[in-house]
């Protein structure tokens, strides 16, 4: 009996562990609902996604094309991450009004700050259209019909490399205003040092509000617009979670590659990740040194540094994880079994060979493009010159304002150093002789460094003043472009648009379509879910710690005590607001505190869960068994980032900021308790 129970528990844990993997399509969530309920979920599939009644999906938005956000009040109040609102917060910040450093709290609706080019998108509905397309209907006509005369935006997205196609219908709002942001010492606490790390203490949230016209419809910014009234918003639970409690993430994961072959993983492990990591290390060293030397540079390069370092660290974890899991070898073994199975099936027998041949053909060209992107194309002077060349042909709307914004955060002396470092890197990684014209130019100047000096000295686009003057004098601009040495550099290393993944190159992808179909017939036990592609998904699991190393268990909840332990006025990223120190000293935590085992009180800050997430899931609501908001997703641990290719239930954890810390900061640091009044706190 005992043994039987043991076997049974073992089976359950194995199954439970496996089941945390996956990013499921909301319209098909009924297929998963039994498993979700077994994990503790109390609601129904219709509560998650419905086209007949308001459902959770009506409270989730794609935030500005790269993050997720969620509605938390009947008046259009929206929660996302601080790092997702970063661009908007930064754009309103100056040395005098430094909202990045000091935070921002609108004291009335009138103080909420409008933003150019910031939008959110709700999913109105999604539906499979594979059969309609197969029957000969055109994608254009399906979309046109769904757009309802321009009211909605639509997209047809490929699932399983095009074996299934889904229509997505969205409603977009363009008047989205900044309501509140904590100081960076809270919202970005730990900076790039703690990024991707557990234990974590970042209050990574910001608040926005969606505005609509008098009929609650999308409208361009106008002072007459009014707060949007959503069909649904999330109630907030202030009770928190215990380890093992159900969690669900509802959001827009961007990109995963679960089904690629061993060749593709080998490319990531052996070529792509190592090169990208190395070149970014060099770039970051230059930026960091400049930031440390000068406070204004620190602000101007903050967003750039964060962007460059974010993927840099992620790739390092991915590389380590794939090596540790032996993903390449595992896939080779899996493919050997597949090949045996496929041998008698003429439609599938050739597939792996065809894919292998395609990889041999295509990898080098893809690598070159990745290399150019991380070297030549990362020189900002080259980007601005290219943009000027295009502007000379056709001036885009708002171009001058964009330029002004670019130069505000641009330091040509930093860019010059970066250009030198990256062109050296290009030479080291370039697998074949470099273009002759480039080699000649470098030789003429007596080496890479003096070549770069000459580029920057001779460029017509080194400052905003020079560039702006040229914009107003077409003849001079044409002459400047003809002479511009950095444009010559651009031409030697032409940018080709490449898909995000090697497997999406047309010559390779065409084989993935039948391969995925074959895999589903071959591996009937496997629970297939489509790779992330920035469409709305549900991931579910539990709040859980993990074994970090032998004898080292990482518990899943951090508290304000850990912030105080890291606090250091001498380190920018760990220098917390004095107010937070005072609150810690007085323990004046209000309703947001919890009691620890030793009887003392503290405030919960971040927690871990087993949800399968990726980039794009930032800002996603973390929802409890009753459909209440308990946190905001913002990260994974860096050692779990290989989950984009292989999910390991033992290690892979997402990181969320506990909603009680968000409420505590709004209330006690921001003094913005009026905002709490519009929420439904439970
Ligand atoms: N790692 C998180 C993500 O991938 C957060 C990034 C922003 N934070 C930062 N310190 N750079 O987006
Ligand atoms: N911070 C990421 C984002 O911007 C989420 C972290 C991840 O990649 O899981 O979406």
């Amino acid at each position: 009996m005992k043994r039987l129970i043991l076997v049974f528990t073992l089976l359950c844990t194995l199954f439970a562990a496996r089941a945390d993997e996956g990013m499921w399509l909301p319209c098909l969530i009924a297929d998963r609902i039994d498993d979700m309920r077994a994990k503790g979920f109390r609601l129904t599939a219709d509560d998650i996604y419905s086209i007949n009644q308001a459902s959770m999906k009506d409270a989730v938005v794609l935030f500005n094309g790269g993050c997720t956000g969620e509605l938390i009040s009947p008046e259009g109040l929206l929660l996302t991450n601080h790092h997702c609102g970063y661009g908007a917060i930064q754009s309103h910040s100056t040395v005098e009004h430094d909202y990045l450093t000091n935070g921002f709290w609108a004291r009335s609706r009138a103080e909420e700050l409008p933003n150019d080019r910031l939008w959110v998108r709700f999913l109105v509905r999604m539906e499979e259209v594979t059969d309609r397309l197969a029957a000969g209907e055109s994608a254009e006509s399906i979309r046109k019909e769904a757009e309802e005369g321009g009211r909605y935006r639509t997209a047809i997205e490929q699932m399983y490399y095009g074996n299934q196609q889904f229509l997505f219908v969205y409603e977009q709002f363009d008047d989205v205003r900044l309501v509140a942001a904590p100081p960076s010492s809270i919202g970005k606490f730990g900076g790039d040092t703690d990024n991707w790390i557990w234990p974590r203490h970042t209050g990574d949230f910001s608040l926005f509000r969606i505005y609509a016209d008098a009929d609650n419809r999308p409208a361009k910014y106008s002072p007459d617009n009014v707060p949007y009234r959503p069909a649904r918003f999330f109630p907030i639970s202030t009770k928190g979670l215990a380890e093992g409690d159900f969690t669900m993430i509802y959001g827009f994961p961007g990109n995963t590659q679960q089904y690629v072959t061993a060749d593709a993983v080998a490319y990531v492990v052996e070529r792509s990740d190592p090169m990208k990591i190395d070149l970014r290390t060099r770039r970051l060293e230059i930026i960091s040194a400049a930031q440390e030397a000068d406070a204004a540079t620190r602000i101007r390069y903050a967003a750039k540094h964060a962007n460059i370092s974010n993927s840099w660290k992620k790739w390092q974890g991915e590389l380590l994880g794939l090596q540790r899991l032996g993903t390449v070898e595992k896939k080779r073994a899996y493919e050997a079994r597949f090949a045996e199975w496929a041998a008698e099936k003429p439609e599938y027998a050739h597939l792996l060979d065809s894919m292998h041949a395609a990889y041999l053909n295509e990898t080098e060209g893809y690598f070159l493009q990745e290399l150019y992107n991380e070297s030549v194309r990362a020189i900002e002077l080259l980007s601005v010159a290219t943009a000027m060349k295009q502007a000379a042909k056709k001036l885009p709307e708002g171009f001058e304002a964009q330029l002004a914004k670019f130069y505000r955060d641009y330091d040509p002396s930093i860019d010059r150093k970066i250009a030198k470092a990256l062109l050296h890197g290009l030479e080291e990684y370039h697998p074949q002789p470099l273009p002759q014209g480039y080699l000649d130019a470098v030789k003429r100047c007596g080496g890479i460094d003096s070549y770069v000096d000459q580029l920057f000295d001779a460029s017509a686009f080194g400052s905003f003043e020079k560039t702006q003057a040229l914009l107003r004098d077409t003849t001079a601009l044409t002459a400047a472009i003809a002479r511009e040495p950095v444009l010559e550099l651009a031409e030697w290393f032409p940018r080709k648009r490449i898909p995000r993944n090697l497997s999406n190159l047309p010559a390779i992808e065409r084989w993935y379509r039948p391969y995925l179909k074959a895999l589903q017939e071959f591996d009937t036990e496997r629970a297939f879910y489509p790779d992330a592609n920035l469409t709305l998904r549900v991931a579910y699991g539990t709040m859980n710690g993990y074994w970090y190393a032998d004898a080292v268990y990482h518990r899943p909840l951090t508290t304000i005590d850990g912030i105080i332990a890291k606090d250091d006025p001498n380190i920018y990223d760990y220098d917390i607001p004095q107010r937070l120190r005072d609150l810690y000293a007085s323990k004046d935590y209000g309703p947001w505190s919890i009691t620890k085992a030793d009887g003392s009180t503290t405030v919960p800050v971040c927690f871990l869960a087993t949800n399968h997430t990726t980039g794009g899931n930032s800002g996603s609501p973390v929802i409890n068994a009753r459909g209440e908001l308990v946190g905001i997703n913002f990260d994974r641990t860096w050692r779990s980032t290989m989950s984009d290719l292989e999910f390991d239930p033992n290690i892979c954890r997402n990181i969320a900021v506990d909603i009680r810390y968000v409420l505590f900061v709004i209330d006690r640091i921001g003094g913005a308790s009026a905002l709490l009044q519009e929420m439904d706190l439970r």
Side-chain angles (χ1 to χ4, degrees):
M1 183 64 183
K2 237 192 187 149
R3 179 161 299 163
L4 213 95
I5 291 178
L6 197 82
V7 169
F8 182 71
T9 350
L10 225 122
L11 274 176
C12 284
T13 30
L14 273 183
F15 175 71
R18 264 208 83 116
D20 292 340
E21 174 177 354
M23 304 170 169
W24 310 97
L25 287 170
C27 65
L28 302 176
I29 202 65
D31 297 343
R32 306 301 308 175
I33 206 76
D34 288 344
D35 189 41
M36 292 176 76
R37 292 183 65 96
K39 281 206 146 74
F41 189 54
R42 306 263 194 82
L43 306 178
T44 65
D46 272 350
D47 292 318
I48 296 173
Y49 176 92
S50 170
I51 47 170
N52 303 315
Q53 65 194 53
S55 61
M56 280 185 213
K57 76 147 171 65
D58 301 316
V60 181
V61 294
L62 176 63
F63 185 85
N64 221 27
C67 280
T68 305
E70 55 276 4
L71 276 292
I72 52 163
S73 96
E75 294 170 272
L77 195 61
L78 179 141
L79 207 46
T80 186
N81 290 144
H82 185 262
H83 80 261
C84 297
Y86 205 80
I89 305 164
Q90 189 190 25
S91 75
H92 295 294
S93 295
T94 57
V95 174
E96 297 79 54
H97 290 283
D98 189 353
Y99 299 141
L100 270 187
T101 302
N102 304 319
F104 170 75
W105 307 94
R107 299 292 167 200
S108 67
R109 298 276 155 91
E111 284 182 18
E112 298 178 354
L113 298 171
N115 299 285
D116 279 351
R117 280 189 281 269
L118 178 62
W119 51 266
V120 298
R121 227 173 247 182
F122 290 88
L123 178 67
V124 178
R125 65 190 168 89
M126 59 186 291
E127 100 196 32
E128 186 172 357
V129 292
T130 319
D131 291 344
R132 287 172 68 183
L133 287 165
E137 258 186 272
S138 78
E140 291 69 50
S141 73
I142 293 178
R143 292 182 52 185
K144 188 118 198 104
E145 178 196 326
E147 277 161 19
E148 297 186 15
R151 170 158 188 198
Y152 299 127
R153 290 172 189 253
T154 60
I156 290 180
E157 305 283 0
Q158 314 287 318
M159 305 292 163
Y160 303 114
Y161 291 92
N163 282 302
Q164 292 180 8
Q165 281 129 328
F166 281 77
L167 168 72
F168 289 80
V169 181
Y170 298 103
E171 185 166 42
Q172 175 167 319
F173 288 80
D174 293 294
D175 186 355
V176 182
R177 303 186 197 171
L178 177 64
V179 173
S184 288
S185 53
I186 287 176
K188 209 190 163 195
F189 180 78
D192 292 338
T193 317
D194 279 12
N195 190 26
W196 301 107
I197 295 287
W198 187 259
R200 187 64 156 278
H201 299 90
T202 313
D204 198 343
F205 78 92
S206 58
L207 285 155
F208 289 80
R209 192 185 304 282
I210 305 172
Y211 280 77
D213 70 12
D215 301 321
N216 210 31
R217 292 281 195 105
K220 274 199 162 35
Y221 168 79
S222 152
D224 299 333
N225 286 348
V226 294
Y228 171 65
R229 297 182 309 280
R232 181 82 157 68
F233 64 92
F234 285 105
I236 293 174
S237 167
T238 57
K239 293 208 183 67
L241 298 171
E243 185 158 17
D245 280 354
F246 176 88
T247 55
M248 169 181 145
I249 299 261
Y250 211 167
F252 289 87
N255 179 50
T256 61
Q257 324 184 51
Q258 306 294 335
Y259 307 105
V260 292
T261 59
D263 285 337
V265 184
Y267 171 75
V268 171
V269 172
E270 289 159 19
R271 313 272 326 260
S272 178
D273 278 357
M275 177 271 289
K276 294 188 294 193
I277 293 165
D278 180 23
L279 293 184
R280 287 199 179 200
T281 304
R282 305 183 199 192
R283 229 188 322 163
L284 285 167
E285 276 166 5
I286 294 165
I287 295 175
S288 300
Q291 284 182 303
E292 266 154 47
D294 177 55
T297 306
R298 197 204 74 232
I299 298 182
R300 289 156 74 202
Y301 273 70
K304 279 180 208 169
H305 187 283
N307 277 337
I308 301 166
S309 99
N310 192 42
S311 310
W312 168 77
K313 204 158 176 183
K314 178 194 154 157
W315 291 324
Q316 295 178 56
E318 178 173 88
L319 188 53
L320 203 79
L322 294 171
Q323 285 165 338
R324 188 180 60 81
L325 288 173
T327 308
V328 174
E329 297 72 33
K330 262 196 254 171
K331 292 231 176 198
R332 294 230 190 274
Y334 184 76
E335 284 158 26
R337 276 186 280 130
F338 173 85
E340 224 172 273
W341 171 87
E344 292 115 62
K345 302 181 175 59
E347 73 275 35
Y348 299 145
H350 67 98
L351 277 178
L352 283 173
D353 288 340
S354 302
M355 292 166 91
H356 186 63
Y359 274 110
L360 286 179
N361 272 332
E362 304 291 330
T363 304
E364 219 46 50
Y366 191 83
F367 178 78
L368 281 182
Q369 287 303 322
E370 286 207 298
L371 177 59
Y372 297 164
N373 285 344
E374 291 294 326
S375 57
V376 183
R377 300 272 161 191
I379 302 170
E380 289 182 277
L381 186 63
L382 187 142
S383 313
V384 83
T386 309
M388 287 298 286
K389 189 176 165 184
Q390 272 151 13
K393 286 183 210 137
K394 187 174 178 291
L395 195 69
E397 203 192 318
F399 186 71
E400 196 173 319
Q402 250 173 286
L403 268 185
K405 209 172 149 199
F406 166 81
Y407 281 103
R408 215 179 67 168
D409 294 336
Y410 178 68
D411 180 339
S413 72
I414 298 177
D415 197 26
R416 183 189 292 241
K417 285 193 191 128
I418 289 177
K420 289 177 185 173
L422 292 183
L423 291 186
H424 281 289
L426 169 72
E427 194 177 271
E428 290 162 41
Y429 281 101
H430 209 270
Q432 63 212 40
L434 287 152
Q436 196 53 48
Y438 171 76
L439 289 175
D440 292 342
V442 169
K443 201 164 162 199
R444 251 196 323 274
C445 295
I448 289 174
D449 291 356
S450 32
Y451 168 65
V452 170
D453 282 331
Q454 180 254 313
L455 280 187
F456 277 74
D457 293 343
S459 175
F461 308 120
S463 72
F464 182 55
E465 292 66 39
K466 284 206 254 174
T467 309
Q468 189 187 35
L470 286 173
L471 261 191
R472 290 168 185 174
D473 181 346
T474 331
T475 331
L477 178 59
T478 316
I481 285 168
R483 254 186 282 113
E484 179 62 32
V486 79
L487 285 173
E488 196 182 30
L489 175 65
E491 269 160 36
W492 288 318
F493 301 97
R495 157 170 276 155
K496 294 209 195 87
R497 277 188 75 87
I498 50 166
R500 186 108 69 114
N501 305 322
L502 180 53
S503 56
N504 293 114
L505 284 176
I508 298 183
E509 196 180 55
R510 56 192 286 245
W511 302 117
Y512 269 103
R513 194 166 170 167
Y515 178 59
L516 252 290
K517 190 162 171 280
L519 270 192
Q520 286 171 325
E521 292 169 29
F522 162 68
D523 197 350
T524 48
E525 298 290 287
R526 188 167 177 179
F528 284 86
Y529 54 92
D531 271 317
N533 57 1
L534 212 63
T535 57
L536 189 60
R537 302 298 175 91
V538 171
Y540 60 92
T542 52
M543 190 240 204
N544 256 112
Y546 69 107
W547 288 100
Y548 174 78
D550 188 28
V552 185
Y553 188 72
H554 275 187
R555 303 223 315 229
L557 186 71
T558 59
T559 66
I560 200 169
D561 301 29
I563 299 181
I564 298 299
K566 286 179 180 170
D567 177 27
D568 184 342
N570 299 314
I571 305 177
Y572 178 76
D573 286 334
Y574 295 105
D575 181 14
I576 59 171
Q578 185 54 38
R579 174 104 185 106
L580 194 53
R581 291 184 192 118
D582 296 343
L583 286 167
Y584 177 74
S586 65
K587 299 279 177 293
D588 182 16
Y589 299 146
W592 322 115
S593 73
I594 55 169
T595 308
K596 294 199 295 184
D598 65 3
S600 62
T601 58
T602 188
V603 179
V605 175
C606 291
F607 64 86
L608 288 177
T610 62
N611 303 296
H612 192 180
T613 55
T614 189
N617 270 125
S618 271
S620 299
V622 188
I623 302 157
N624 69 10
R626 290 177 302 278
E628 298 154 346
L629 189 70
V630 288
I632 315 167
N633 185 71
F634 71 98
D635 214 0
R636 278 173 289 173
T637 63
W638 70 287
R639 297 202 325 171
S640 60
T641 52
M642 75 307 196
S643 67
D644 292 352
L645 290 131
E646 182 180 355
F647 186 89
D648 175 1
N650 295 317
I651 289 278
C652 291
R653 296 292 178 271
N654 60 309
I655 305 177
V657 51
D658 194 298
I659 202 66
R660 292 168 294 181
Y661 186 53
V662 174
L663 298 170
F664 166 82
V665 171
I666 293 175
D667 181 21
R668 300 281 147 144
I669 302 282
S673 52
L675 291 172
L676 303 179
Q677 253 112 65
E678 18 173 327
M679 303 175 194
D680 177 4
L681 300 178
R682 296 186 181 167

